[in-house]
Amino acid sequence: MNDNSALYAFNKFGDTVLRTAFAMTGNYTEAEDITQEVFLALHARPQDFESDEHMKAWLLRSAINRCKNLRKSARMMKNSPLDEALASTLSCEFTPRDNEIREMIAKLPEKYSSVIFLYYFEEYTVKEIASLLGKNENTVSSLLQRGRKKLKTELEKEGYVYEN
């Protein structure tokens, strides 16, 4: 089996790409579409990857870019209540509390939501996130810190209590 094939990539990282897209869009249907687009792009234009981690990074970067494009699109400006209702009922393997927090993360500006998701859900280091996003490590650290503050503020508004 060719380790760089789209099928291999899908079998190995399909769930990860779907979770990333879902966390960033807050909509399971959109996340499925983005996941499909990512793997179709890989199939149409095969890449040479140095390792599985390189492949995973490429797939996640591709998914994040598509999520950014979706957020900017006119289609997202016309989000229907039905889409929101469906998204809230589909959990994508998150617990209800995780789902609430994920929804709060998705509502953050993209620059914060992407670093928070990659750091906490995908367990990338700051250095790996910087490489993946093409940003300076200090920038990623700052975005992570500011994103945590914004998320904490939003969660406190919703009644979450933190124990230090």
Side-chain angles (χ1 to χ4, degrees):
M1 174 188 287
N2 178 1
D3 284 3
N4 293 331
S5 73
L7 182 59
Y8 172 83
F10 180 76
N11 288 332
K12 184 130 177 123
F13 300 114
D15 289 339
T16 302
V17 172
L18 179 63
R19 282 193 314 269
T20 301
F22 183 59
M24 300 221 28
T25 63
N27 182 309
Y28 191 76
T29 305
E30 295 291 351
E32 287 179 319
D33 289 346
I34 287 169
T35 300
Q36 183 177 8
E37 290 172 14
V38 167
F39 288 101
L40 284 173
L42 180 59
H43 178 71
R45 292 180 307 280
Q47 306 287 318
D48 289 324
F49 298 109
E50 297 168 9
S51 65
D52 280 357
E53 275 305 306
H54 183 218
M55 178 188 292
K56 181 180 177 183
W58 184 92
L59 293 166
L60 290 177
R61 178 74 257 164
S62 183
I64 289 167
N65 286 342
R66 282 173 169 73
C67 290
K68 283 180 178 180
N69 292 342
L70 179 66
R71 280 186 172 182
K72 294 177 194 174
S73 73
R75 185 172 59 167
M76 285 305 288
M77 303 303 172
K78 296 180 180 180
N79 196 10
S80 74
L82 179 60
D83 289 339
E84 292 173 16
L86 283 172
S88 67
T89 62
L90 299 168
S91 69
C92 192
E93 299 181 29
F94 291 109
T95 66
R97 185 163 191 254
D98 288 342
N99 232 11
E100 291 172 14
I101 293 171
R102 187 220 28 89
E103 288 174 10
M104 298 293 267
I105 292 169
K107 290 179 183 176
L108 292 173
E110 186 278 328
K111 63 184 179 181
Y112 301 127
S113 64
S114 60
V115 294
I116 287 173
F117 180 79
L118 291 170
Y119 187 81
Y120 288 104
F121 289 86
E122 292 302 321
E123 299 178 349
Y124 277 104
T125 65
V126 169
K127 184 177 183 174
E128 291 169 330
I129 295 169
S131 174
L132 185 64
L133 299 179
K135 296 184 184 291
N136 183 295
E137 285 182 48
N138 292 333
T139 302
V140 170
S141 293
S142 295
L143 291 171
L144 196 53
Q145 183 179 8
R146 290 181 196 134
R148 285 184 194 125
K149 276 186 179 178
K150 285 188 171 294
L151 182 60
K152 181 178 179 183
T153 301
E154 293 302 314
L155 289 170
E156 286 172 346
K157 286 180 189 175
E158 296 295 319
Y160 285 88
V161 178
Y162 289 92
E163 299 172 10
N164 290 331

